[in-house]
Amino acid sequence: MELSAREYTVLAAAAGFCSVAGVGYLIQREYRRWRVLSAHMAQYYADFSLSPSQLMDLRNDFIEEARKGLRGEKSTCLMAPTMVDILPDGDEVGEYFALDIGGTNFRVIHVTLSMDKGEVVHVEMEDNAIPEEYFTCHGDMLFDLLASALVDFAKRHGRHSDDRPLPIGFCFSFPCTHTAIGEAVMVKLTKKFENEGMVGQDPAKGLQRALDRQKGNFKVAALINDSVGTLAGGCYVDADTKIGVILGTGTNACYAEQRSNIAALAKGRKNGREQQHPLMAINTEWGNFAAPSSPFTDIDRELDEETPNAGSHRFEKMVSGMYLGELARRAILRLAEQAQLFGPEVPPQLREPWALTSAALSKIDEDGSWLLSTTARELSETLGLPAALCTHTTCLRVKQVCHLVARRSAAVVAACLAGLLQQIDRDGAHTPMAPTTIAVDGGLFEHYQAYRAYLREYLDQMLGKQVSSLVKIVQIRDASSMGAAYLAAAIDEETQ
Ligand code: BGC
């Protein structure tokens, strides 16, 4: 069929119109998508970035909860007296064992402490991943796992005693209320643990029975929380250490409080140690802290409902390594569902709970490459997203989400630290500020450099540069397990 010149002109004009209209439609669609995405991001910025006044409110609420806990009133912070009223000072001598459990691994450790102050002659330690079934098995089975690992470790390293049982420090990272340093009742399970037969029982006895079953000649001398171990580990190397903090799978803090402020002790019988040891380590269990000023978002609420300990440890669920990646995944999934972050289809991999780890989140947040290639790699390697979906614009949004989630964690931790510093009169408000060290242990803090910088920045903001310059935040590697061994030593020396 032949077309006339006129028909050609009309057809060409129509085709031109259609392609202009098509391009116009695409531009309009992308613009609409960009607007929806920007509106969602603006909401995340509003929800996750906390203003100085919000952080002050949080700090004040934390102090109030902490004081209620100390007075023995209903509080979201357990503020458990740990019965630890002596802290190591580096003068401890001898050979000690420790067992440490609480996250995804457990550790067996043997230390030899020298006569020279603060010097550890020799350390042997072994980390073991906790097999999946041990997160849900009966408590006795979990204790058997620990006891047999210790007995086997001691044999392999030729350490045994035929007469006096070897004292061990047991670092057990869950909320407990103590009746003595080696005697406690477990309050609840946290993190991934769902074991029966543990809550309401004494973990020290549980481990001792398991050790006896294994014919191990050990005695559980001290049962301590990992935050207490970190405080002890810090004190061993730095006498200015006043607070021990865990920023790992979970989070917690411990500090030394005046006995006279601890109602639970005032009610109990006096044991004659009050004069000599006026302070006692308090396990705050701040992981459970919640108050009107807690900046919980819908995403926090959603995540909480799907954890085995729903309704509990909500501060921990905003802060710690177990949850940061999952919070970010949920925020990214919302962007995919409601603002087509990855295009019209939501990638199914994004719907997989816990698929984005906090290790991946930290790499994405710290991605300084021009084209965000690390972010693209993490998205395709960790989440399994097709590379074609990981465009620069998408990676940029993902990075912003990870950044916001991490910064909020550091901000709320800084607020509670400012609260604890005020409680121990180390915030420069009433007395001249003295050098103060905060000892920190845990993978989140250890492996995530940008996070450490955020924490410092928020603490400076809360305390003011001058006071804050006297507060050192120091990472003490293996502090909780080493601290358990030092405490076993300190207690052993006292009771000999
Ligand atoms: C536990 C604390 C522990 C913290 C860090 C929290 O879930 O309640 O006792 O210190 O995790 O391991």
Side-chain angles (χ1 to χ4, degrees), residues 33-244:
R33 194 164 80 95
W34 175 82
R35 274 191 41 182
V36 177
L37 205 51
S38 303
H40 273 79
M41 285 307 297
Q43 191 58 49
Y44 285 167
Y45 272 96
D47 290 346
F48 283 84
S49 356
L50 305 177
S51 67
S53 80
Q54 273 175 300
L55 290 178
M56 280 300 175
D57 290 347
L58 193 68
R59 183 201 70 168
N60 296 342
D61 282 351
F62 175 69
I63 297 175
E64 202 174 312
E65 282 299 291
R67 290 188 180 156
K68 279 200 279 181
L70 288 173
R71 290 197 297 267
E73 294 165 16
K74 197 169 179 306
S75 163
T76 54
C77 296
L78 187 65
M79 305 301 283
T82 60
M83 302 298 149
V84 173
D85 58 8
I86 42 169
L87 284 164
D89 56 9
D91 284 336
E92 296 70 20
V93 182
E95 291 191 35
Y96 294 90
F97 283 88
L99 258 174
D100 185 349
I101 183 171
T104 46
N105 290 327
F106 71 93
R107 171 177 289 172
V108 194
I109 166 167
H110 172 258
V111 298
T112 311
L113 309 176
S114 103
M115 302 287 273
D116 298 328
K117 194 173 177 73
E119 194 172 310
V120 180
V121 184
H122 192 62
V123 184
E124 289 151 327
M125 61 171 92
E126 258 174 36
D127 284 335
N128 302 278
I130 303 172
E132 214 40 51
E133 64 272 25
Y134 284 87
F135 288 99
T136 46
C137 68
H138 191 276
D140 288 346
M141 191 172 147
L142 184 61
F143 288 129
D144 279 332
L145 173 77
L146 303 181
S148 70
L150 177 63
V151 171
D152 179 53
F153 172 86
K155 262 193 215 141
R156 268 186 291 114
H157 291 273
R159 314 269 175 214
H160 56 83
S161 142
D162 297 327
D163 41 16
R164 190 175 91 97
L166 293 166
I168 62 168
F170 183 22
C171 180
F172 185 72
S173 309
F174 301 94
C176 292
T177 50
H178 280 257
T179 36
I181 189 158
E183 197 178 277
V185 174
M186 184 174 189
V187 176
K188 60 179 158 184
L189 289 154
T190 60
K191 295 165 276 199
K192 245 179 97 176
F193 293 82
E194 294 181 73
N195 314 75
E196 261 178 55
M198 288 184 82
V199 173
Q201 304 298 315
D202 181 349
K205 284 208 179 78
L207 177 65
Q208 188 65 60
R209 279 196 298 266
L211 285 166
D212 296 345
R213 280 195 287 277
Q214 305 275 336
K215 310 269 179 284
N217 195 16
F218 292 99
K219 174 168 176 8
V220 182
L223 173 80
I224 57 152
N225 186 266
D226 50 353
S227 60
V228 182
T230 301
L231 177 67
C235 289
Y236 191 81
V237 290
D238 178 349
D240 290 331
T241 306
K242 299 295 166 203
I243 297 175

